[in-house]
Amino acid sequence: FKDRIPFITFVLGGPGSGKGTQCEKIVETFGFKHLSAGDLLRQEIASKSEYGSMILNTIKDGRIVPSEVTIKLIQKEMESSDNKKFLIDGFPRCEENRVAFEQIIGAEPDIVLFFDCPVEEMVKRVLNRNQGRVDDNMDTIKKRLKVFEALNLPVVNYYAEKGKLHKICALGTEDEIFEQVWPVFAACKR
Ligand code: UP5
Ligand code: MG
């Protein structure tokens, strides 16, 4: 990144907790570049790249794609962006993702947002989404929730201990939730 030090926000939360929805609002209000790890992986599937079928099978099964693959996609987007303020949505999903990002990118997040949402609400939102995602079915949702609890919550706890975590109650209307998100960025000095 040469002389430009990036400002990195990780956006975490279970499936359907509203990460993507709130990221759009953060982009509009605070001018971040939104990088959804899941969207980048779905683009890889669509472009029929060498990893496409492996990524598709992993997503269908609610498992986590190897760190190197996801980080390479994130890195490419970061390096080609004029914007140095990044929202990295849905990553890191496990401790191994987190450590690999620190090693490869050589940076830690400035802020970590965590959208805390009850399981029943997450399931309801995902099943209602209707955008044809291969992982939006009851069978895969159960697997995604298990992986989230077992592997992603330790990452959330890690950043809580580091004092970087901003926990947001993800119940309510989109605007009510954004009212909790807004002060996190409004208070940012960098
Ligand atoms: N909605 C949003 N806010 C609402 C509100 N306040 N009230 C009522 N409805 C609300 O929202 C979900 C739905 O709810 C939408 O229909 C929305 O309108 C509505 P959204 O903002 O899309 O939630 P989000 O948290 O982004 O849900 P998403 O399903 O995208 O989360 P996941 O974390 O499951 O999905 P992601 O795309 O990040 O990852 C998919 C898969 O890719 C993973 O399971 C994994 O297999 C793989 N992956 C990796 O392997 N590595 C990675 O680093 C990333 C992904
Ligand atoms: Mg999303």
Side-chain angles (χ1 to χ4, degrees):
F1 298 103
K2 299 198 176 95
D3 50 342
R4 297 155 71 239
I5 301 165
F7 183 97
I8 298 171
T9 301
F10 285 158
V11 181
L12 305 180
S17 59
K19 301 181 292 295
T21 303
Q22 292 297 320
C23 279
E24 283 178 27
K25 290 179 171 290
I26 299 165
V27 166
E28 279 171 28
T29 311
F30 296 103
F32 277 72
K33 169 83 177 166
H34 179 202
L35 300 178
S36 159
D39 285 351
L40 294 174
L41 291 168
R42 284 183 285 275
Q43 279 170 30
E44 279 298 287
I45 298 171
S47 72
K48 304 207 159 61
S49 80
E50 63 172 316
Y51 296 122
S53 63
M54 177 275 288
I55 295 171
L56 175 62
N57 289 327
T58 307
I59 288 181
K60 270 186 185 163
D61 207 27
R63 288 178 288 111
I64 299 170
V65 170
S67 297
E68 301 72 33
V69 173
T70 311
I71 292 169
K72 208 180 272 178
L73 297 173
I74 295 172
Q75 186 174 33
K76 206 168 82 188
E77 294 295 317
M78 289 176 77
E79 286 177 353
S80 65
S81 173
D82 293 331
N83 195 335
K84 68 176 175 76
K85 289 161 54 175
F86 299 101
L87 288 176
I88 303 184
D89 163 4
F91 179 95
R93 296 186 101 82
C94 58
E95 281 289 287
E96 197 250 322
N97 270 179
R98 176 183 73 70
V99 172
F101 182 91
E102 280 177 21
Q103 281 171 352
I104 296 171
I105 306 291
E108 286 189 28
D110 297 272
I111 288 179
V112 180
L113 286 185
F114 169 49
F115 290 100
D116 191 20
C117 194
V119 168
E120 315 79 62
E121 177 68 15
M122 292 195 278
V123 172
K124 196 174 88 188
R125 288 183 191 173
V126 170
L127 289 177
N128 282 338
R129 175 161 40 198
N130 252 328
Q131 285 178 357
R133 267 175 58 169
V134 294
D135 54 347
D136 283 355
N137 58 78
M138 203 55 222
D139 188 41
T140 309
I141 292 168
K142 280 183 189 155
K143 292 176 180 169
R144 287 158 72 189
L145 285 166
K146 267 195 186 151
V147 168
F148 170 70
E149 276 177 31
L151 302 178
N152 209 334
L153 283 182
V155 178
V156 170
N157 292 334
Y158 172 86
Y159 287 120
E161 278 164 27
K162 283 207 129 188
K164 291 188 173 182
L165 194 80
H166 296 267
K167 183 169 161 176
I168 308 289
C169 168
L171 270 182
T173 65
E174 292 177 14
D175 286 342
E176 281 167 351
I177 296 163
F178 191 64
E179 276 177 31
Q180 299 173 69
V181 171
W182 188 86
V184 174
F185 294 97
C188 275
K189 289 188 192 72
R190 278 183 57 198

